[in-house]
Amino acid sequence: MQRIYAWLRAHPLWVDSVCTIPVFGLGLLQVVSDTTVDVPRWWWFLIVTLLSLGMALHRVRPLTATALVVAGGLMQLVWDGSLTAANYAMLVVLYTAAKSGPRWLSRVGLAMTVLGPAILLGRFPESQESSFRDNVIGFGFVMVLLAIAWVLGDSMRTRRAFYAELEERATRLEFERDQQAQIAAAAERARIARELHDVVAHNVSVMVVQADGAAYAIDASPDKAREALGTIAATGREALAEMRRLLGVLRSQAESEAYVPQPGVDQLAELVDQVRTTGLNVELKVEGVPVELPQSVALTAYRIVQEALTNTRKHAGPDATATVGVGYGEDGLEMEISDDGRGAAAPGDGMGHGLVGMRERVAMLGGRLRTGPAVSGGWSVTATLPYAGRPEPTSVAPGRTTLQGAK
């Protein structure tokens, strides 16, 4: 059916011509069978032909169709004012002029809804078959029909303009939304570049210091020089990994903010204590064997927890509680920040820059992120951050650490 509708919309002339055939046939039948009208047959045949052509062309050539219908109407006023089935074309052309024709043509059509019947009444105030009173009633009937056709066409024009405005507004809002997302992503990448700069700069400075020490100790203490070279190699590999993650991140050279050491997983307890002071009940759970994390992974973990708790404070509600779970898995750091607040029903500002920042950070590390309503209610943020290598466990004993906030 969709193909049929598409074909019909693409061939309006064929469709209108087929619809005109019954009108032309009825008008021609009236010309042949009606012997009471004292008008030459060829004259009536010409009138019916002009009106039918106007109906067939009303969508593809509205101005030409209007001219043909007006010419047929004027020819009717010359000898006889009798109406035929072909006069239906006047309603169709008037509707099209009000719907899709120029504004001036629509106004002319509105004026003709009154002037046309009035001219017909003035030209033939009465006849052998009808009195003046009957013609006045007919005048009112014809005027109402023409007015209805014009009102329907003008309403369709207004509706089309309204829908076109809605589509334009939706397109513009979609474009602005994409721009906002791009701006947010660019800003977050610049912030990530600033933070990763600290990590790379620290590693390079360590390499420089170790290299100077190895140069001084290479003759007097080869073992210390060898140890310094090993440190340089390890630090260089870590710096190279950070530089690879940094590839593609654009940073404005005009920025001159001071660089400060960035927090990590070890500072999560302090972050949770700080959040508790705002009135939010938070529980921190750390599971698994803690390992030495690359600073980029530790920083990303801290920022994800920070942003998730910020969203909980803003959207979860006054009585909500939150849980921060951090687990040291075999291949990566697993995190889950959840709350029992309002979840998807929480009001938001529609910008979502915090979620964009999370995605950018996790994507740069090659991890996974999932955000959305939790099954048991509230909101949940789950992230998996792969380790940069296969780090060795620290000396901390295995177990589970739980920090419970006061109820």
Side-chain angles (χ1 to χ4, degrees):
M1 292 302 296
Q2 294 296 332
R3 293 182 178 179
I4 295 176
Y5 292 151
W7 188 90
L8 293 177
R9 287 192 295 268
H11 301 83
L13 181 59
W14 287 95
V15 176
D16 295 336
S17 299
V18 172
C19 294
T20 305
I21 293 176
V23 175
F24 178 75
L26 290 176
L28 189 61
L29 180 63
Q30 185 177 357
V31 171
V32 175
S33 61
D34 194 355
T35 58
T36 60
V37 180
D38 189 15
V39 177
R41 300 293 179 184
W42 64 268
W43 184 262
W44 269 115
F45 178 78
L46 182 58
I47 292 174
V48 171
T49 302
L50 290 176
L51 294 176
S52 300
L53 284 176
M55 182 175 175
L57 299 174
H58 76 277
R59 281 197 291 175
V60 295
R61 294 288 188 272
L63 294 179
T64 303
T66 303
L68 292 173
V69 169
V70 170
L74 292 177
M75 290 178 64
Q76 282 184 290
L77 296 176
V78 174
W79 268 327
D80 187 81
S82 300
L83 301 179
T84 69
N87 286 111
Y88 176 75
M90 294 182 177
L91 299 176
V92 176
V93 172
L94 181 61
Y95 169 83
T96 304
K99 181 187 71 172
S100 56
R103 272 296 181 184
W104 65 267
L105 185 61
S106 177
R107 296 190 183 97
V108 171
L110 178 61
M112 292 306 297
T113 58
V114 178
L115 293 178
I119 294 174
L120 180 62
L121 180 63
R123 174 68 175 85
F124 304 102
E126 58 184 14
S127 62
Q128 297 179 354
E129 293 81 7
S130 60
S131 62
F132 178 76
R133 176 177 174 275
D134 296 334
N135 287 344
V136 170
I137 296 175
F139 160 79
F141 179 74
V142 173
M143 186 180 67
V144 169
L145 288 180
L146 294 175
I148 291 175
W150 186 90
V151 169
L152 291 177
D154 190 71
S155 299
M156 184 60 68
R157 177 195 291 270
T158 303
R159 180 176 298 180
R160 284 186 172 182
F162 176 71
Y163 287 155
E165 183 179 357
L166 288 181
E167 291 178 358
E168 180 183 0
R169 183 180 302 178
T171 303
R172 185 171 64 251
L173 290 176
E174 183 178 358
F175 176 75
E176 292 177 357
R177 182 199 61 190
D178 294 340
Q179 279 191 327
Q180 291 290 338
Q182 293 175 3
I183 292 173
E188 187 61 29
R189 285 170 179 167
R191 187 155 67 101
I192 294 171
R194 293 195 300 268
E195 294 173 349
L196 288 181
H197 178 276
D198 294 340
V199 179
V200 176
H202 170 74
N203 291 332
V204 172
S205 64
V206 170
M207 293 170 62
V208 172
V209 172
Q210 294 291 335
D212 291 339
Y216 284 112
I218 191 170
D219 295 328
S221 181
D223 293 337
K224 291 184 178 180
R226 189 178 298 108
E227 181 180 353
L229 292 175
T231 302
I232 291 174
T235 305
R237 282 192 292 269
E238 184 176 353
L240 182 60
E242 302 295 350
M243 289 297 295
R244 287 174 177 171
R245 295 191 186 98
L246 185 59
L247 184 62
V249 179
L250 300 179
R251 177 171 177 263
S252 174
Q253 297 181 356
E255 297 173 350
S256 58
E257 297 180 7
Y259 299 109
V260 296
Q262 299 296 328
V265 178
D266 296 336
Q267 284 72 39
L268 286 180
E270 299 176 4
L271 174 64
V272 169
D273 291 336
Q274 182 182 7
V275 173
R276 289 198 189 105
T277 61
T278 64
L280 178 64
N281 186 20
V282 186
E283 180 184 5
L284 174 63
K285 300 178 180 179
V286 181
E287 298 181 348
V289 180
V291 297
E292 190 69 26
L293 297 175
Q295 188 165 352
S296 59
V297 177
L299 175 61
T300 299
Y302 183 91
R303 294 304 187 197
I304 290 176
V305 174
Q306 186 181 44
E307 180 63 28
L309 293 179
T310 300
N311 291 337
T312 299
R313 291 202 312 269
K314 291 169 58 178
H315 306 298
D319 300 326
T321 60
T323 302
V324 178
V326 179
Y328 292 89
E330 295 183 359
D331 300 323
L333 186 68
E334 299 176 355
M335 308 170 58
E336 181 177 5
I337 305 94
S338 60
D339 61 69
D340 57 358
R342 289 174 287 195
D349 54 9
M351 301 303 292
H353 291 179
L355 298 180
V356 173
M358 288 186 189
R359 295 190 188 98
E360 291 289 334
R361 290 178 180 276
V362 174
M364 191 181 66
L365 296 176
R368 299 188 302 272
L369 177 70
R370 189 195 70 83
T371 62
V375 177
S376 59
W379 193 266
S380 174
V381 176
T382 304
T384 301
L385 305 178
Y387 302 137
R390 187 78 179 182
E392 295 293 331
T394 62
S395 59
V396 180
R400 171 173 172 173
T401 303
T402 302
L403 301 180
Q404 178 70 38
K407 295 292 184 181

